[in-house]
Amino acid sequence: VIIGTAMQPVGLTGGIATGKSTVSSLLQQQSSSDKEDEDEFVIIDVDGIAHDILLPNKLGSDSVYNLLVAEFGKGILSTEEKGTISPNIDRRKLGDIVFRDVQKRRKLNSITHPKIIKIMLKRILLEGLNLNSSTAKTTNRRRRVVCVDIPLLFEGGVPMRLLFGTIIVVACKPDLQLERLHKRNPDLTLEQCRQRIASQIPVEKKAAK
C-alpha cells in the first residue's frame, strides 16, 4: 500500500502556532497544480472538525453543544448573539476555564475527542476510497494523498500514531512559538498563551519521536 493513500494517511502535526496551517496551505496549493506527476493532497482539518462539533445545529448527533453547556454552564455561551435560541459557544470563554484546570480540560477532552476521532476516521475512509471528493468525477493519473492536519496526534497515544503511515512534525523555537501565538490571538495575554502551549506535549519532544 502506498504511504498516504487508502488507510495509510499522512499525519501533519506540531505545536500550537508552529506553522501547521502554512504547511497545509502549501500542500493544497500543490494540489491545485495541473501537473500530472505531482501528488494531489487531500487535507482533513481536525481543528475544523473540533470547531464544527461545538456548533448547535451543524453536525446533528455528533454535536457536543448540549453536553458542554450542561457540563460547563451557560457562561461559555457568546453574549454577542442575544435573542438567538442557541447562541454559539464562545471558545475563548471555554478555553479560559479548561486551560486553568487540568481536570476540566480532561473532562472537555472526554466529551469532544470521541466525536472528533469518529468524524476524522470516517473522512479518512471516504477520502481514501475517493468517494467524498469532486475529483472522483474525473480521471487522472495523479496519486491522491490523504493528509490529516491533527494538532494533538501525539497526545492521542500509540493507537493514534499507528493510524498514520508517515508523520510530519512542524516545529519552531519556543520563543517564536509564543510570539506567533500572541500575534495570532492578540486578545490573549502572554500568560494565557503560555497556558495553551503548556497544555500540549513540547514540540521538540514531538519532533524527536
Side-chain angles (χ1 to χ4, degrees), residues 105-116:
R105 186 162 69 247
R106 287 175 179 166
K107 183 62 179 179
L108 172 67
N109 291 342
S110 72
I111 294 172
T112 59
H113 284 188
K115 297 289 187 180
I116 293 171

Side-chain angles (χ1 to χ4, degrees), residues 6-167:
M7 289 304 294
Q8 285 190 300
V10 171
L12 176 63
T13 191
I16 185 173
T18 57
K20 294 184 304 301
S21 297
T22 299
V23 175
S24 178
S25 295
L26 289 172
L27 294 176
Q28 288 178 311
Q29 287 176 20
Q30 177 174 314
S31 297
S32 63
S33 168
D34 293 329
K35 296 180 180 179
E36 290 190 359
D37 59 342
E38 291 188 351
D39 292 336
E40 175 191 357
F41 286 89
V42 179
I43 306 297
I44 297 174
D45 182 7
V46 173
D47 201 34
I49 295 173
H51 279 252
D52 288 346
I53 64 172
L54 299 185
L55 300 175
N57 302 308
K58 185 164 185 177
L59 295 178
S61 61
D62 286 327
S63 171
V64 296
Y65 178 89
N66 290 329
L67 292 173
L68 294 186
V69 173
E71 178 65 32
F72 298 103
K74 293 184 178 180
I76 65 172
L77 299 178
S78 172
T79 57
E80 298 179 0
E81 302 172 67
K82 296 179 180 179
T84 59
I85 298 176
S86 300
N88 287 338
I89 290 174
D90 187 321
R91 290 170 58 88
R92 288 282 181 270
K93 293 180 179 179
L94 181 59
D96 286 342
I97 293 173
V98 301
F99 286 112
R100 290 199 306 259
D101 189 316
V102 174
Q103 294 303 321
K104 290 182 179 178
R105 186 162 69 247
R106 287 175 179 166
K107 183 62 179 179
L108 172 67
N109 291 342
S110 72
I111 294 172
T112 59
H113 284 188
K115 297 289 187 180
I116 293 171
I117 293 171
K118 171 189 171 185
I119 296 169
M120 178 190 73
L121 291 175
K122 180 179 178 181
R123 292 185 183 177
I124 288 173
L125 177 61
L126 292 175
E127 293 290 6
L129 295 174
N130 205 13
L131 296 176
N132 194 36
S133 171
S134 59
T135 57
K137 300 177 181 179
T138 65
T139 56
N140 58 57
R141 298 180 180 179
R142 299 178 69 187
R143 184 177 64 145
R144 301 183 77 250
V145 180
V146 178
C147 181
V148 183
D149 183 346
I150 173 170
L152 302 182
L153 188 156
F154 288 101
E155 286 80 355
V158 174
M160 183 64 72
R161 287 181 236 173
L162 292 177
L163 175 64
F164 300 97
T166 298
I167 295 175

